[in-house]
Amino acid sequence: FGELALIYTAPRAATVKAVIDSELWVMDRSDFKKILADKNDKAKEYVAYLDKVDLLRDSLKAEEKQALAQSLIEMSFTDGELIFEQ
């Protein structure tokens, strides 16, 4: 939470108060913006791949391909590793 404040340089719209001892992760605005930019670059790359698949290129609108691309997660597998089993 707080992503809108990071994007728009706006004050937080909510107060957060710890009710138990807690640990907190913090990200500054510049790191957050870099992550968004990197994700957008990767999404553009994925849209280009999706456009190479006739079924997807011809049946999805540009914004649908963008949404699909943004939801993809890149994974790596080793030689012989089981990827899917039915």
Side-chain angles (χ1 to χ4, degrees), residues 27-78:
M27 181 181 304
D28 65 28
R29 183 173 189 268
S30 62
D31 288 338
F32 183 77
K33 297 279 275 189
K34 183 178 180 334
I35 289 168
L36 289 181
D38 290 349
K39 183 167 177 65
N40 191 40
D41 289 345
K42 198 54 130 168
K44 287 178 185 177
E45 181 183 333
Y46 290 156
V47 168
Y49 286 128
L50 296 174
D51 280 335
K52 292 179 182 179
V53 179
D54 294 340
L55 176 68
L56 298 176
R57 182 187 62 240
D58 299 338
S59 63
L60 294 178
K61 298 176 186 173
E63 57 272 6
E64 292 171 326
K65 285 187 274 191
Q66 183 68 26
L68 177 58
Q70 288 176 334
S71 68
L72 294 175
I73 298 170
E74 192 168 312
M75 299 175 71
S76 299
F77 300 92
T78 59

